[in-house]
Amino acid sequence: NVAVTTVSMARSQFQNQERVTVTAAVANRSAQAVSGGTLALEVDGRAVQTERLDVPANGSASVAFQPLTVTGRNMRGTVRVGNDALPADNAFNFVVSPAVPVRVIVVSSTTGSNLYLSRALAVGDAPKFDVDLRQADNISDTDLQRASVVLLNDVQVNAALGRRLEIGRAHV
């Protein structure tokens, strides 16, 4: 019995397009080696790549497919190995969507106090953070509605700011 046990995806950029490299792990749970088998990658119901599969007896192997471009949200994928006596584990399904940055607003009383925090957030890439630095008196309702996260960095929350934060939270 040969089974597709897991699939991992590594994201990359190529000519301003997001791509993923799909890597499948396959286990052979039989006493016979698999030589010259095939492993297929399907996207949205159609086969897009096929790779050669060699797995030792009672062993495992991994196969990396060529990178593919993420063209839209919720692209359905399947990695499929050939037929055997147990077809239930011959396919591994997954969904991939373009990476969406987490929108973060850092609210502070002075602009210089955010240096460490903004640099720390800039390092992240899984997920990527889109950081907007604002002073407490210069934040709009639209800013709050667009934000996924609002960080209050050493800022006093007066009644007016508290109400605006509460209203912004209602839109999440």
Side-chain angles (χ1 to χ4, degrees):
N1 177 40
V2 178
V4 182
T5 58
T6 189
V7 169
S8 65
M9 291 172 272
R11 294 180 184 269
S12 62
Q13 290 285 329
F14 180 73
Q15 295 182 347
N16 292 327
Q17 291 185 323
E18 184 176 12
R19 298 174 63 106
V20 293
T21 300
V22 176
T23 301
V26 178
N28 181 359
R29 297 185 177 111
S30 71
Q32 292 182 338
V34 173
S35 181
T38 59
L39 193 64
L41 173 62
E42 301 171 4
V43 176
D44 291 332
R46 62 182 181 87
V48 294
Q49 293 181 43
T50 302
E51 295 290 334
R52 179 183 169 94
L53 180 64
D54 296 311
V55 189
N58 296 312
S60 61
S62 64
V63 175
F65 292 94
Q66 292 297 312
L68 59 101
T69 303
V70 180
T71 58
R73 293 185 44 82
N74 301 324
M75 290 174 48
R76 294 178 184 196
T78 301
V79 174
R80 192 177 309 275
V81 70
N83 293 327
D84 60 20
L86 186 59
D89 61 4
N90 291 354
F92 192 101
N93 299 305
F94 62 92
V95 176
V96 64
S97 290
V100 178
V102 177
R103 299 186 66 147
V104 179
I105 294 180
V106 179
V107 182
S108 67
S109 54
T110 63
T111 56
S113 64
N114 295 318
L115 180 64
Y116 175 78
L117 189 54
S118 62
R119 285 189 179 171
L121 289 170
V123 173
D125 65 354
K128 181 175 173 28
F129 295 101
D130 182 13
V131 180
D132 190 8
L133 305 175
R134 297 294 175 133
Q135 289 185 339
D137 58 353
N138 189 20
I139 187 167
S140 71
D141 291 338
T142 303
D143 293 333
L144 294 173
Q145 290 172 3
R146 289 183 181 165
S148 302
V149 177
V150 177
L151 293 175
L152 302 176
N153 185 21
D154 196 27
V155 64
Q156 183 175 356
V157 179
N158 59 29
L161 180 57
R163 280 191 300 277
R164 294 175 69 214
L165 290 171
E166 189 66 33
I167 291 169
R169 190 179 88 181
H171 291 285
V172 175

